Amino acid sequence: MSKQYKQCYNLGDMLYKGSTYIRAEETRQLREIGIPVYSASEQNKDGDINDKKNQTVESNNDLHAHIFKKDVDNIMASDLIVCNPERFAEGSICELGAVEMFNYIWRVIDEIMNDEHLSYEERVALMQEWLEVNPHKDVYVHLEDIRCTDLPESGYNRSFMMNQFVRGCAVAVQTGERGVPVSQGGKDIMSWEEIIEELKENTQD
């Protein structure tokens, strides 16, 4: 029996002009064989969040949260992922790692929930045991680069830039909630010194 997919997430770089042509051709071929596709690259054509021409300074500064939430929401809604993790595609590589971890946890839950030899109570107990053995992780993200500056650089004068999906991931994993920009209380990337200071406060009486 043939498999019917609800949605394919076409995962790969979509920032370089050449990459947009590749994603478009991949998406065309997938749809040609009857597979519904979500491609973030197509969203750029509609003036979506990655299109800087449609941003104000304020909205642009919040893009990390919106980009991360929109991409992850579509990954979660997809039952097929096609991925091209090129070395320079930082966001794509980050997404691929997240997909693997989700599928691993899905397999663990699926195995427990579909074990016909277990009662409901035993399944719940196994899930609780798994959570105890695999604890929630407190995450501190730091990045130090001498090119980072608050000077109003623009165009090709920018000294340093960070992939905003990766930053959105860092903010979400530290905040404990997806889609909260730093301007609204999301926890931004830290310095090493800030991490040490916060860990001292949290671990020492």
Side-chain angles (χ1 to χ4, degrees):
M1 188 173 70
S2 61
K3 186 165 187 176
Q4 299 296 316
Y5 288 106
K6 294 187 299 182
Q7 176 175 282
C8 170
Y9 186 93
N10 192 3
L11 197 168
D13 179 63
M14 35 70 90
L15 301 177
Y16 288 102
K17 189 173 183 178
S19 296
T20 65
Y21 290 129
I22 296 171
R23 297 292 86 76
E25 177 60 17
E26 291 170 345
T27 297
R28 184 193 68 78
Q29 291 187 31
L30 287 165
R31 287 176 178 154
E32 198 172 66
I33 60 174
I35 298 177
V37 181
Y38 174 86
S39 176
S41 181
E42 289 183 329
Q43 309 307 307
N44 291 345
K45 297 178 182 178
D46 302 325
D48 199 25
I49 53 180
N50 284 298
D51 190 342
K52 301 297 184 181
K53 292 180 292 188
N54 296 300
Q55 303 300 329
T56 64
V57 172
E58 290 76 18
S59 66
N60 190 62
N61 287 339
D62 288 348
L63 279 184
H64 59 279
H66 302 313
I67 289 172
F68 181 74
K69 185 177 187 306
K70 185 167 187 177
D71 285 355
V72 171
D73 285 351
N74 276 284
I75 287 172
M76 296 300 288
S78 299
D79 52 352
L80 172 64
I81 308 290
V82 176
C83 178
N84 182 14
E86 295 166 294
R87 292 195 305 169
F88 58 84
E90 300 171 10
S92 300
I93 295 168
C94 188
E95 288 179 333
L96 181 60
V99 170
E100 196 289 322
M101 181 55 70
F102 171 81
N103 278 353
Y104 167 68
I105 295 172
W106 189 95
R107 291 192 299 270
V108 170
I109 295 173
D110 182 66
E111 184 177 340
I112 293 173
M113 297 305 295
N114 290 295
D115 189 335
E116 297 177 354
H117 300 97
L118 298 174
S119 66
Y120 173 79
E121 290 75 16
E122 288 172 326
R123 292 172 186 174
V124 171
L126 275 176
M127 288 297 303
Q128 290 175 332
E129 180 183 339
W130 191 88
L131 291 173
E132 291 171 6
V133 173
N134 301 276
H136 179 273
K137 286 84 170 88
D138 290 337
V139 181
Y140 293 83
V141 182
H142 69 98
L143 175 65
E144 289 84 13
D145 192 303
I146 61 172
R147 296 170 297 177
C148 291
T149 178
D150 290 327
L151 292 173
E153 300 177 323
S154 62
Y156 291 113
N157 294 318
R158 293 183 180 90
S159 304
F160 174 81
M161 56 185 175
M162 183 175 189
N163 181 284
Q164 290 303 291
F165 179 90
V166 176
R167 184 185 177 209
C169 181
V171 171
V173 76
Q174 292 185 117
T175 306
E177 185 176 353
R178 190 187 309 158
V180 181
V182 171
S183 67
Q184 297 177 26
K187 188 172 183 179
D188 207 352
I189 294 170
M190 308 169 73
S191 69
W192 178 253
E193 290 74 21
E194 289 172 328
I195 290 176
I196 291 298
E197 196 59 38
E198 188 166 321
L199 286 173
K200 280 183 181 178
E201 294 177 5
N202 294 341
T203 61
Q204 297 180 4
D205 296 329

